[in-house]
Amino acid sequence: MFERLLAKSVKGSGKAETIMEHTLNLLSEYKTLKATYPNILTESEWEILRDACYYHDIGKANTKFQNKIRDLKERIEDELKELEEVPHAYLSCAYMPIKKLREKYSKNELKCLMMAVYYHHERKEENQIASEAVIEKDLPKYIEALKKEGFDLPEPPSKNYSRYVKKPLKLQELYPFIRIKGLLNKIDHAASAHLPVELPPENLTNYLDKFMKNLNSQPNELQTYLKNHPGENLVIVASTGIGKTEGALYWIGEEKGIFTLPLKVSINAIYDRIKNEIGYTNVGLLHSDSQLEYMKRFEEEFEFSLSVLKQTKQLSMPLTVSTIDQVIDFAFLYPGFELKLSTLSYCKFVIDEIQMYSPRLVAFIIMGLKYITEMGGKFLIMTATLPPLFIHFLEKEKIPFKRPDKPFLKLNEKGQVISRHVMKIQQKDLTAEEAIDHGLKRKTLIIVNTVTKAQQLYKEFKEKGIKVQLLHSRFTKKDRFEKETSIKKLGKKTCTDSGIWITTQVVEASIDIDFDVLFTELSEATGLFQRMGRVYRGREYEGQEPNVYVYTGDFLPSGISETNKKSVVDYVAFEKSKEVLLQYDGQRISEALKMEIIEQIYSLENLGEESEYVQELKNTINQLKNLLPYEQKEKPKLRDIENVQIIPYSVYQKNEKTIVDLEEELERIKQESPNNLKRKLEIQQQLQEFTVEIPYWAYKKALNSNLFARNVSMGRFIHFPVLSYKYSAELGLIYDIDEDANFM
């Protein structure tokens, strides 16, 4: 027999861990969770969770598992070697003293405990024949060894636990189990990583008050309202630039918070602002590039950055700034969703700029909020433009929330609502001549719907000898960073330089800039108002001439099609936006009027059932409502477009020596020091500087057109295809064949 019953094998420079050592680690983290958030469970639920921690891994005391995590020389004979391995979670239930536990718990409480242990790992369905044989012939050998380790086991292993582990089909009946199982997973992950399950929150209010005092400022009406309503679910409409971020942080206060935004650039900026300006350091950064962002910020503390990343991914930070897709996917009810939902049940959940999400993602948000509030969590939706369609579906799903009687509008020094925009509608195409005719003022921003249109306009200006700069999503990371830095420099309120920038919707919410005049194609009203937020961002506009020119196209503007599959936005939303906006041509567009316009366009009645946006929103909500828990086996992909990172061939040629040297260095690391994760990630980061993200369809088109040269490989799962699409630092990527590519 084994002298020590192991739960964890030796990994790296660590040591093996016995079942009791691992269990004690869980119980320690259980105490940390209870001390940090004592009110998230009832006393009986805390006791159930403690017992779940105590018994969850005891089933690892079986011959197959103990042999599996040992060297060959340490293994013993397996008398049941013809049988498949039984997952240890199922065997843990066999060891549990059911008679004793029946005296302690009600039937439902005992079921909740047993299910939490039984399902704490997602495994294939239990093989009853194998389980019964192992319980009868193998587990009894380990009773004395377990007792020696300190486990209280008054009964022999039992096969009679099946009636306690059958899941109900309705989600609401599963809530007690979800809470316990999710928190058990959270504690287990923390104990396995030897990291705290939760870092205690500090009072954000104190940090914000100090921040305000340093600015010689006081909380405004919005911030005061949010500060005074911390226990309510809220839907807030407020002007751009009014201080919604500070207001949301006041609302979170002393509690755990998750703050979501649509774009990674915005998230990075708010993360840095919370840490560096407000001074609250225990904040996590969660999106698809978190690891690389942490590496940049903790350059000299790599191991620390890894531990912070692990805590962030396990939602253990007191405040996390995240993209919505990293959190809200639990609404798909896939196996393992419980950790996120149980954590959100004691969170303050902030959703900023909800109007920027696709209808599918909005559906996930609505159903996610339904489950969160039913579990006891709180939410705050903040936006400058709130489509009434969202309110309709929140109310339809009976999600409780409070909405103030009026929006919060930015005021000037006299206490009057600030006026920032005079709008002119042009029913023609946006061209370089149009912008020139209306005067290229000090800081001119041109926003169009597609990259192709942006590139076309850039060429038009260049042909006329006018200096202009271009920014869109199809530049390499290196070139895009340089361009974003440049546009932000010009876009500072204190900058008095002049310049013209042509961009796409990448600047709608991701880049904090303040320009003097905007020329833009119409997409739809919410997108237009986001774009208008980049002009006179926090300033009063007292002029009478338009500082916003909106182009609806001779027929249609770029990216808009009556066939929705080819349209960047819903065609019905575009048409309705155009119809309503024309009523206000030449007028001063106040913040209150913007909100009225949104009300006129984005109701269910006005968009109508034929709108693809409405159809997708309704259909996705119905799909999610009709899902049985655990019916879907995989997490959903919530991003609207599946992108591929590629290296344009001309970029590869220009940087070939650097790229090849990095590949060779990576190969040497694999051979000589495979655990040097820091350098591997640094190489990945350096190679990514040469990449452009393109849609999957464009990647497939390149493959089908023989435009593929080679893969720049980072390992089995990460590689960057080199494709011969045209590319220049001026124009970015063009989906034309690069005739200079010489590998053909």
Side-chain angles (χ1 to χ4, degrees):
M1 286 296 293
F2 303 108
E3 289 185 17
R4 300 166 71 229
L5 295 175
L6 300 182
K8 307 283 180 184
S9 58
V10 178
K11 283 187 180 176
S13 58
K15 61 177 184 177
E17 202 172 72
T18 68
I19 296 174
M20 179 53 81
E21 286 169 342
H22 178 57
T23 300
L24 292 175
N25 285 338
L26 259 78
L27 293 174
S28 175
E29 293 309 321
Y30 161 86
K31 289 176 183 175
T32 297
L33 179 64
K34 189 174 182 180
T36 307
Y37 297 108
N39 300 319
I40 64 175
L41 298 176
T42 65
E43 275 309 311
S44 62
E45 286 174 326
W46 278 118
E47 192 61 26
I48 292 168
L49 180 58
R50 186 204 168 278
D51 280 347
C53 292
Y54 185 79
Y55 291 113
H56 83 293
D57 263 4
I58 198 169
K60 288 181 176 178
N62 73 80
T63 301
K64 278 186 170 58
F65 183 88
Q66 292 299 311
N67 278 344
K68 183 172 68 175
I69 61 172
R70 284 176 159 81
D71 293 334
L72 280 171
K73 60 184 179 183
E74 296 178 333
R75 295 177 186 176
I76 65 171
E77 184 181 355
D78 180 3
E79 295 177 3
L80 301 172
K81 58 187 174 188
E82 74 283 357
L83 294 177
E84 65 181 75
E85 182 181 0
V86 178
H88 70 267
Y90 304 157
L91 301 178
S92 292
C93 291
Y95 277 123
M96 291 171 71
I98 293 176
K99 287 182 184 176
K100 184 178 178 181
L101 293 170
R102 269 203 299 243
E103 296 170 4
K104 184 177 181 181
Y105 296 117
S106 70
K107 182 180 179 182
N108 286 338
E109 288 172 334
L110 181 54
K111 281 190 71 171
C112 183
L113 168 60
M114 298 288 287
M115 284 198 302
V117 172
Y118 188 86
Y119 294 107
H120 80 269
H121 291 300
E122 302 301 330
R123 298 288 186 260
K124 63 181 181 180
E125 192 173 335
E126 184 178 6
N127 180 326
Q128 291 297 326
I129 295 173
S131 286
E132 290 181 8
V134 172
I135 292 166
E136 186 178 323
K137 298 176 182 177
D138 192 42
L139 298 197
K141 302 173 188 174
Y142 296 97
I143 293 290
E144 288 307 311
L146 286 167
K147 286 183 176 178
K148 274 187 184 178
E149 285 208 2
F151 283 102
D152 178 17
L153 297 172
E155 300 174 24
S158 170
K159 296 179 280 187
N160 300 321
Y161 57 78
S162 59
R163 59 182 164 149
Y164 294 104
V165 296
K166 289 181 181 175
K167 288 178 184 171
L169 293 178
K170 288 187 178 178
L171 180 68
Q172 283 72 13
E173 293 176 18
L174 281 166
Y175 281 156
F177 158 74
I178 289 168
R179 201 184 306 275
I180 300 301
K181 194 258 186 182
L183 294 178
L184 172 61
N185 287 152
K186 191 177 180 77
I187 291 168
D188 193 7
H189 294 162
S192 297
H194 299 281
L195 292 168
V197 64
E198 287 282 9
L199 292 175
E202 301 171 73
N203 194 331
L204 266 168
T205 302
N206 294 338
Y207 284 88
L208 288 160
D209 286 343
K210 186 177 178 181
F211 172 68
M212 293 284 191
K213 186 177 179 182
N214 292 338
L215 295 175
N216 294 317
S217 181
Q218 293 290 325
N220 61 26
E221 185 185 9
L222 166 68
Q223 293 156 355
T224 301
Y225 180 89
L226 289 169
K227 191 175 181 180
N228 292 336
H229 292 80
E232 295 178 282
N233 302 320
L234 298 171
V235 177
I236 299 290
V237 180
S239 299
T240 300
I242 199 172
K244 294 198 292 289
T245 300
E246 291 84 351
L249 297 176
Y250 269 126
W251 178 75
I252 291 170
E254 297 179 57
E255 299 182 58
K256 183 179 178 71
I258 296 178
F259 192 124
T260 65
L261 297 107
L263 300 167
K264 288 186 281 189
V265 177
S266 312
I267 290 167
N268 294 340
I270 286 188
Y271 170 83
D272 289 332
R273 187 160 164 242
I274 291 170
K275 286 195 76 169
N276 302 330
E277 295 180 30
I278 297 173
Y280 190 85
T281 55
N282 278 339
V283 56
L285 178 67
L286 185 59
H287 55 64
S288 57
D289 288 333
S290 292
Q291 187 163 49
L292 296 177
E293 292 299 330
Y294 274 136
M295 276 184 64
K296 293 177 192 174
R297 288 160 177 77
F298 301 105
E299 199 169 340
E300 304 301 321
E301 306 169 276
F302 178 68
E303 292 302 324
F304 177 71
S305 77
L306 287 183
S307 66
V308 174
L309 179 65
K310 287 178 183 175
Q311 288 173 292
T312 302
K313 286 185 172 180
Q314 295 306 320
L315 303 180
S316 297
M317 303 295 281
L319 177 63
T320 302
V321 188
S322 173
T323 47
I324 195 80
D325 60 291
Q326 295 284 335
V327 183
I328 207 69
D329 60 1
F330 74 83
F332 211 50
L333 307 181
Y334 56 86
F337 77 91
E338 303 93 347
L339 190 153
K340 288 180 182 177
L341 181 51
S342 64
T343 300
L344 285 161
S345 74
Y346 59 94
C347 257
K348 297 284 200 71
F349 187 42
V350 179
I351 302 167
D352 196 5
E353 304 295 359
I354 190 172
Q355 81 286 349
M356 288 193 67
Y357 295 117
S358 68
R360 182 168 182 264
L361 203 40
V362 170
F364 270 81
I365 291 169
I366 288 167
M367 292 308 298
L369 293 181
K370 179 178 176 67
Y371 303 151
I372 288 167
T373 52
E374 288 177 349
M375 289 276 286
K378 301 293 179 188
F379 72 86
L380 164 64
I381 293 175
M382 300 188 303
T383 179
T385 53
L386 179 70
L389 194 63
F390 299 168
I391 296 295
H392 168 83
F393 282 104
L394 286 171
E395 291 175 340
K396 187 176 180 183
E397 295 307 320
K398 297 182 172 57
I399 299 167
F401 67 91
K402 181 175 181 179
R403 185 181 177 187
D405 296 333
K406 57 176 184 162
F408 295 91
L409 303 176
K410 191 172 178 64
L411 307 178
N412 60 21
E413 293 175 354
K414 298 176 184 177
Q416 300 169 327
V417 176
I418 194 169
S419 174
R420 302 189 296 143
H421 303 117
V422 175
M423 179 180 72
K424 180 65 183 169
I425 307 288
Q426 305 277 41
Q427 297 190 71
K428 58 178 77 171
D429 287 339
L430 172 51
T431 62
E433 286 86 354
E434 275 292 319
I436 294 166
D437 287 347
H438 292 294
L440 298 171
K441 300 180 184 178
R442 185 160 56 90
K443 291 193 285 189
T444 301
L445 183 63
I446 300 172
I447 305 179
V448 294
N449 295 337
T450 66
V451 174
T452 301
K453 176 72 174 182
Q455 291 168 332
Q456 174 197 325
L457 269 179
Y458 178 84
K459 290 175 185 176
E460 288 179 25
F461 276 103
K462 294 290 281 186
E463 286 168 4
K464 294 178 182 297
I466 297 174
K467 185 179 178 184
V468 67
Q469 296 195 74
L470 178 65
L471 172 64
H472 52 69
S473 60
R474 268 192 250 149
F475 285 102
T476 64
K477 286 185 181 289
K478 179 178 179 292
D479 290 341
R480 182 165 169 175
F481 176 78
E482 290 172 357
K483 288 172 181 290
E484 286 176 351
T485 302
S486 181
I487 194 173
K488 283 190 275 189
K489 183 180 177 183
L490 180 65
K492 283 185 177 178
K493 291 176 188 175
T494 54
C495 179
T496 58
D497 294 343
S498 61
I500 307 166
W501 275 88
I502 301 170
T503 75
T504 58
Q505 61 267 34
V506 294
V507 300
E508 280 183 20
S510 63
I511 299 177
D512 188 3
I513 51 175
D514 183 18
F515 275 61
D516 298 324
V517 63
L518 171 68
F519 295 88
T520 179
E521 292 185 300
L522 178 62
S523 56
E524 40 75 44
T526 58
L528 171 63
F529 294 152
Q530 284 291 142
R531 295 174 185 187
M532 288 167 71
R534 309 301 109 182
V535 174
Y536 274 81
R537 185 160 173 75
R539 299 177 286 153
E540 187 114 30
Y541 181 62
E542 297 176 349
Q544 299 304 311
E545 287 293 312
N547 63 346
V548 174
Y549 293 88
V550 182
Y551 290 81
T552 64
D554 286 330
F555 173 60
L556 290 171
S558 74
I560 307 296
S561 168
E562 294 180 44
T563 305
N564 271 307
K565 287 183 180 178
K566 295 182 179 178
S567 193
V568 294
V569 296
D570 179 61
Y571 176 72
V572 175
F574 165 80
E575 280 291 322
K576 192 69 183 177
S577 296
K578 178 181 174 181
E579 174 191 324
V580 173
L581 288 166
L582 279 168
Q583 300 170 31
Y584 303 97
D585 180 26
Q587 294 190 27
R588 189 170 294 276
I589 307 297
S590 68
E591 300 305 298
L593 181 55
K594 289 177 189 174
M595 294 166 189
E596 287 176 26
I597 290 170
I598 295 300
E599 291 276 341
Q600 290 179 56
I601 297 169
Y602 294 95
S603 67
L604 188 62
E605 296 75 24
N606 288 336
L607 281 183
E609 295 291 335
E610 73 274 14
S611 163
E612 188 166 302
Y613 188 101
V614 173
Q615 286 294 319
E616 187 173 2
L617 180 54
K618 286 177 66 174
N619 291 343
T620 308
I621 287 176
N622 288 334
Q623 177 200 3
L624 294 173
K625 285 173 70 173
N626 292 325
L627 273 182
L628 293 175
Y630 313 102
E631 181 182 348
Q632 303 299 315
K633 299 306 178 188
E634 303 291 336
K635 287 185 184 183
K637 289 183 178 178
L638 292 182
R639 294 186 181 184
D640 294 334
I641 299 175
E642 187 180 353
N643 287 336
V644 180
Q645 280 184 294
I646 67 108
I647 299 176
Y649 192 79
S650 60
V651 174
Y652 177 80
Q653 282 184 310
K654 185 178 177 181
N655 300 278
E656 184 172 7
K657 184 178 186 311
T658 301
I659 292 171
V660 170
D661 286 349
L662 288 170
E663 286 184 289
E664 290 175 352
E665 183 184 352
L666 181 62
E667 197 56 40
R668 283 196 303 274
I669 290 170
K670 288 179 188 174
Q671 300 298 324
E672 298 168 12
S673 50
N675 294 323
N676 189 350
L677 179 60
K678 182 174 188 289
R679 185 56 189 149
K680 286 179 185 176
L681 290 171
E682 286 171 345
I683 292 172
Q684 181 181 337
Q685 186 178 349
Q686 288 174 269
L687 288 172
Q688 280 186 328
E689 292 296 298
F690 306 120
T691 66
V692 179
E693 283 197 5
I694 65 171
Y696 186 73
W697 66 261
Y699 168 66
K700 290 296 290 182
K701 175 186 171 186
L703 296 186
N704 294 335
S705 303
N706 295 319
L707 305 184
F708 173 78
R710 57 160 301 203
N711 274 327
V712 174
S713 180
M714 280 289 301
R716 284 181 62 195
F717 303 110
I718 301 175
H719 61 269
F720 306 129
V722 178
L723 305 179
S724 65
Y725 280 132
K726 285 184 179 178
Y727 182 88
S728 72
E730 267 194 306
L731 285 170
L733 192 81
I734 301 171
Y735 295 133
D736 291 336
I737 297 174
D738 184 353
E739 302 295 346
D740 295 328
N742 58 11
F743 68 87
M744 305 277 288

